[in-house]
Structure formats: C-alpha cells, structure tokens
C-alpha cells in the first residue's frame, strides 16, 4: 500500500523535458540538444536551459538519450582496478571525457575471451559513440561486433602484437621490458628473474615477457623457465615470488617485476629476512607508482605515463568523431627507465 502525503502537503512534481522547455519558452527538442549536443544550440539558449534545469532540480534521462543514439557516452572495458596503473589510466580517460562534455560508461572485465565478449556486447547495447578497450581484443566475435557497430574504437596500452581494429594508443611493452632487462645487465647483474601476474590473455604481459627473453638472448644469458613466476597482483604475491625464485636459485641476483605492487611486496619481504637491497638481491618494478620513490630503498622501475595515455585515447576518439581523417592508427607514447637505489 502506497503512503499518501499528509493533508495539505503537495506531492513533489516530477519534471521532464517538456516542462523545462515550457519554462524556457523553447521546443522540447531544443532542451534535448542543449544536453546531448550543445554545439547545436546557441550559448544564450543553452545557458537559459541549464539555469532552468538547476532551479527545477531536473535530472536528464540519460538512458533515453543513449537509446535514441544521440548520447555523448564513451564505453570502456578495463581489468580489475587493483592495478594502480590502470586506475591512473581510467582517471585520465574520465577527466578528458568530463572536460569535453562526454560521459564514460565503465565495465570491469577479466582477461578471458568469454568475459571480454560479454562486456563488449553489454556496452554496445547502450549505443556508445565510441569505445576504448584495454589492450587488443582477443575474441573474433567481439571484433566483428565492434566493426559492425560503426563506432570508432581505441585499443589502449599495447601497440604491438596484432593489427588493431581501428586505432591504438600506448607503448611497446616489448621495448619497455627489453630496456629494463638490459639496464639491469649493464649494472652487472647476471642472474635476472622475471615475475608477472598471469599472462594468459594479456597482450601487455606477454609482450613484456617476450622483451625480457629477447634481452637475455642478446646478452647470451641462458634462460630457464623456472627463472619466471606468475602470481596474483598483490604485495603478498610479490613476496611469495621472491621466496620461490631465491629458493630455486641461490645465485639469483636481480628480479624484474612486471608491476610495482609486486616489487613493493618483494622489498618488504627482503626487510623481513634482513636481506640487503640491492646487496643481497636487486629489485626492479614497472609503473612508477607514487610509493616507488618513497620506498626504502627507492624502487628502480619503468615509468609509463598512464594518465596521459588515458587522456590521449579519448582525444583520438573525439577527433575521429569530429571528422578528422588524419588521426593516426598507431600512437606510441614514450617511457623512461627510472634508476633508483633498489637495483
């Protein structure tokens, strides 16, 4: 049974586009355009519409707008945000969308073809004007869905490994890992291990491992599969990987971790065991998270500007939507080996 308001109390009025249009003295279509396509409305009219909306406490029906296909929404699929680098990337995307008058619809997915396909199918159902996807799309069904949607697509983070669906923004993870492995070798380390999160389905990590292998081959260092470990992306995972590799190989003198989170866990485990870093073993990470420079000792790592990567992906997408035919298919961002005291 629905409770009735007390006598004399008016039921709150639910305002819609038509009511806002009447208050401003314009057509309902003008109000809709002021919200979804502001460039189609004069600045003066849009200001009046926004003022009326603020005074009335009106909340636009975004679902209806997107279903009509004229929304300003960008869809994105990202892996779990426990990875600080991914979080920075998403923040960059969000900031660029907000400043450009677009909304971002985010779906978190896993690195499996089934999860990827399901996430992309769900997002496309909202009719986004464009899509930004983490690394290369694996599922051929998902690739076909994206191509048939007609929406521009940016695959982000990795630029090598396979042909992009439309556009790609990122770095060569092969080159970043190759450079870090060579950097460690140049400092005199000869038994260099590699630790990553599970590589299956993850183009970025696969390319990092390949870069690590290529550097060892060039240096003439024999690579053993048991010099590599895959663990969850947690500090505990990094600590456990350190214990595993040092137990297998007492002469291991450096470990390259595919994430700063893992490397931090390894450094902490060294402190618990009273092992000097880098005296007993050198530790290197990837990402240059905020904690990396404050850790003791400060962490040697690969610096990639994930925040700018996210912003750049949105700008590329909006340029294509704006009719720019010269948007590059591949946009490569730089990286830096940050040499600190841990290695």
């Amino acid at each position: 049974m629905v409770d009735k308001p007390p006598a004399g109390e008016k039921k709150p009025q639910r305002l819609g586009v038509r009511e806002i249009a009447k208050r401003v003295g314009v057509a309902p279509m003008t109000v809709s355009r002021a919200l979804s396509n502001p460039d189609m409305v004069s600045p003066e009219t849009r200001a009046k519409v926004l003022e009326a909306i603020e005074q009335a406490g009106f909340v636009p029906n975004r679902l209806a707008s997107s279903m009509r296909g004229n929304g300003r929404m960008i869809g994105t699929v990202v892996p779990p945000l426990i990875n600080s680098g991914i979080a920075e990337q998403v923040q960059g995307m969000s900031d660029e969308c907000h400043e450009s008058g677009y909304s971002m619809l985010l779906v978190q997915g896993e690195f499996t073809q089934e999860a990827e396909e399901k996430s992309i199918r769900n997002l496309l159902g909202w009719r986004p004007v464009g899509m930004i996807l983490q690394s290369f799309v694996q599922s051929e069904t998902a690739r076909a869905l994206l191509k048939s949607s007609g929406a521009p697509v940016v695959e982000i983070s990795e630029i090598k490994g396979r042909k992009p669906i439309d556009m790609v923004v990122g770095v060569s993870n092969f080159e970043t890992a190759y450079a870090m492995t060579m950097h460690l070798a140049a400092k005199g380390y000869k038994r260099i291990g590699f630790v990553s999160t599970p590589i299956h389905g993850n183009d970025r990590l696969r390319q990092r491992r390949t870069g690590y292998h290529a550097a060892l081959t060039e240096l003439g260092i024999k690579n053993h599969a048991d010099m590599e470990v895959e663990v969850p992306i947690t500090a505990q995972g990094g600590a456990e990987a350190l214990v595993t590799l040092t137990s297998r190989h007492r002469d291991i003198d450096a470990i390259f971790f595919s994430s700063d989170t893992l490397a931090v866990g390894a450094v902490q485990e060294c402190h618990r065991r009273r092992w000097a870093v880098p005296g007993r073993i050198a530790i290197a990470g990837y990402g240059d998270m905020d904690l990396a420079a404050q850790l003791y000792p400060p962490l040697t790592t690969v610096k990639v500007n994930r925040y700018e990567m996210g912003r750049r992906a949105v700008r590329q997408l909006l340029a294509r939507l704006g009719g720019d035919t010269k948007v590059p298919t591949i946009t490569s961002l730089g990286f830096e080996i940050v040499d600190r005291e841990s290695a």
Side-chain angles (χ1 to χ4, degrees):
M1 185 175 180
V2 179
D3 293 334
K4 294 182 179 180
E9 182 179 323
K10 291 184 179 180
K11 186 178 181 179
Q13 183 182 8
R14 184 174 181 176
L15 296 176
V17 171
R18 292 182 182 279
E19 287 72 24
I20 296 297
K22 287 180 181 178
R23 292 190 178 197
V24 180
V26 296
M29 180 59 74
T30 301
V31 175
S32 296
R33 286 174 175 169
L35 294 171
S36 60
N37 291 294
D39 294 341
M40 298 178 67
V41 179
S42 70
E44 294 79 11
T45 299
R46 184 166 185 265
K48 290 180 181 179
V49 170
L50 294 179
E51 182 180 0
I53 286 173
E54 184 176 353
Q55 290 176 352
F58 170 66
V59 178
N61 186 339
R62 298 299 187 189
L63 174 60
S65 176
S66 65
M67 289 182 70
R68 287 195 298 269
N70 63 355
R72 294 169 69 86
M73 182 176 66
I74 292 172
T76 184
V77 180
V78 300
L81 295 177
I82 188 172
N83 185 326
S84 63
I86 299 298
E88 290 174 14
Q89 190 170 286
V90 170
Q91 187 63 57
M93 293 161 57
S94 177
D95 288 349
E96 190 69 31
C97 282
H98 177 73
E99 293 170 15
S100 303
Y102 282 76
S103 298
M104 186 174 73
L105 180 61
L106 183 150
V107 172
Q108 183 172 293
E110 299 292 338
F111 287 110
T112 67
Q113 291 196 23
E114 295 76 14
E116 174 187 73
E117 185 179 321
K118 181 179 179 181
S119 298
I120 289 173
R121 192 183 293 275
N122 287 340
L123 272 177
L124 289 175
W126 289 83
R127 301 296 186 269
V129 294
M131 296 278 281
I132 299 176
L133 304 170
Q134 187 65 222
S135 207
F136 292 113
V137 176
Q138 308 167 68
S139 164
E140 291 302 325
T141 300
R143 292 173 72 87
L145 285 171
L146 288 164
K147 289 179 180 178
S148 64
S149 74
V153 175
V154 176
E155 291 165 290
I156 191 170
S157 289
E158 176 56 57
I159 63 171
K160 291 185 176 180
R162 70 180 299 174
K163 183 178 180 181
I165 294 174
D166 188 1
M167 297 172 282
V168 61
V169 174
V171 298
S172 167
N173 283 273
F174 174 96
E175 292 177 5
T176 57
Y178 172 88
M180 176 56 85
T181 307
M182 295 296 282
H183 173 77
L184 293 172
K187 299 193 77 170
Y189 300 109
K190 299 185 182 303
R191 297 284 287 165
I192 305 169
F194 179 71
V195 177
S196 75
T197 54
I199 288 176
H200 178 71
N202 190 320
D203 286 301
R204 294 173 296 116
L205 294 180
R206 187 181 297 114
Q207 289 293 322
R208 283 178 209 171
R209 183 174 63 181
T210 303
Y212 161 74
H213 288 169
L216 293 186
T217 299
E218 184 173 324
L219 292 164
I221 299 174
K222 189 175 182 181
N223 177 42
H224 298 284
D226 60 357
M227 289 283 285
E228 302 172 26
V229 178
E230 292 184 12
V231 292
I233 186 168
T234 62
Q236 181 179 348
E240 291 173 354
L242 172 83
V243 173
T244 298
L245 286 179
T246 53
S247 297
R248 289 178 186 172
H249 304 278
R250 294 189 178 278
D251 61 343
I252 191 169
D253 55 4
I255 304 177
F256 172 27
F257 291 83
S258 70
S259 162
D260 283 352
T261 300
L262 297 174
V264 167
V267 170
Q268 294 299 96
E269 182 63 25
C270 286
H271 291 329
R272 281 191 287 270
R273 292 170 176 263
R274 299 185 183 279
W275 290 355
V277 179
R280 167 62 177 82
I281 190 164
I283 302 293
Y286 193 108
D288 197 28
M289 62 191 297
D290 288 342
L291 181 59
Q294 305 305 319
L295 192 66
Y296 179 77
L299 185 65
T300 292
T301 187
V302 179
K303 182 176 183 178
V304 175
N305 193 335
R306 289 290 191 82
Y307 179 81
E308 176 57 27
M309 191 183 296
R311 295 195 72 122
R312 186 75 62 88
V314 174
R315 288 200 294 269
Q316 299 283 79
L317 203 63
L318 298 185
R320 176 67 63 80
L321 288 169
D324 187 347
T325 59
K326 296 182 179 180
V327 179
T329 299
I330 299 175
T331 300
S332 177
L333 303 182
F335 67 91
E336 177 187 353
I337 299 297
V338 182
D339 187 22
R340 298 192 180 107
E341 286 88 339
S342 70

